[in-house]
Amino acid sequence: SDAPAGRVRLNVGGGKGHPSTRDWTVVDLRESADVVLDITERALPYADSSVDLLVCSHTLEHVARARLGFVLSEFFRVVKPASRGGVLRIAVPDIESACRAYVAGDEEFFRKADLTYADPDAPLGGLLASWFYSVSAVGNGHVNCFDFGSMSWWLKRAGFARVARSTYRGSADADLRVE
């Protein structure tokens, strides 16, 4: 969809081979990003309350806990308050889903995950461990796990007052309900 004139939309961590999306700015470590930046070390180059929509998908699980507060505080600083239409959308692997799958013996849950497993032939417990602490060819595997309660806690600590759980394409923001 076309963004309303002047609407600032950021995709933080979206530089992993994702196609460029019109009217979105990709902020990532990778050279393919529009803004090349290590979000764990440097402030986002945006003014306070200047971003309408910030999406961070499958990135925060790669941020060390010691730096997570800084990253989320930066998101809070740059995203407009909800009362002015600002939206922060975060997607992370859900530790509750993984635990339920493990307890249910659902090996398929882990097999269909887009992960590089330390040992893909491992039994269920090994697959769960790889899900928690995945590895990658570039060495930036998971170092964090979240469920809705823990993510809400982190976001509230960063200053966000209203935190809601959503589903894929279930956002209140129309820009997040597209293919």
Side-chain angles (χ1 to χ4, degrees):
S1 71
D2 291 333
R7 194 161 192 224
V8 178
R9 301 186 304 176
L10 302 183
N11 180 343
V12 176
K16 184 183 174 184
H18 298 281
S20 293
T21 307
R22 189 170 148 205
D23 299 321
W24 284 81
T25 300
V26 174
V27 178
D28 198 288
L29 286 167
R30 295 170 183 88
E31 293 298 323
S32 60
D34 301 309
V35 176
V36 178
L37 178 76
D38 182 348
I39 62 168
T40 68
E41 297 296 331
R42 294 187 41 222
L44 290 166
Y46 294 87
D48 295 359
S49 301
S50 64
V51 174
D52 297 283
L53 180 56
L54 190 155
V55 171
C56 185
S57 179
H58 292 274
T59 298
L60 295 178
E61 65 272 18
H62 300 277
V63 174
R65 291 182 86 73
R67 300 304 299 160
L68 189 59
F70 171 76
V71 171
L72 295 176
S73 292
E74 274 299 291
F75 291 177
F76 180 75
R77 181 183 67 76
V78 301
V79 173
K80 290 178 180 176
S83 62
R84 290 185 36 224
V87 174
L88 168 65
R89 176 63 182 256
I90 294 174
V92 291
D94 181 12
I95 191 174
E96 182 179 347
S97 296
C99 290
R100 287 183 192 277
Y102 174 76
V103 169
D106 182 1
E107 189 172 307
E108 182 60 23
F109 172 90
F110 300 101
R111 297 276 179 216
K112 69 181 180 185
D114 183 21
L115 295 174
T116 303
Y117 287 99
D119 186 352
D121 298 323
L124 191 59
L127 297 177
L128 174 67
S130 285
W131 189 92
F132 283 136
Y133 305 107
S134 75
V135 295
S136 77
V138 294
N140 62 345
H142 294 178
V143 296
N144 256 320
C145 296
F146 304 96
D147 64 1
F148 180 70
S150 65
M151 181 55 72
S152 296
W153 181 79
W154 277 103
L155 289 167
K156 288 177 180 174
R157 284 182 58 184
F160 292 94
R162 196 172 81 199
V163 178
R165 180 178 229 151
S166 186
T167 58
Y168 175 66
R169 293 175 43 189
S171 177
D173 191 293
D175 284 339
L176 295 174
R177 293 192 304 266
V178 296
E179 286 294 328

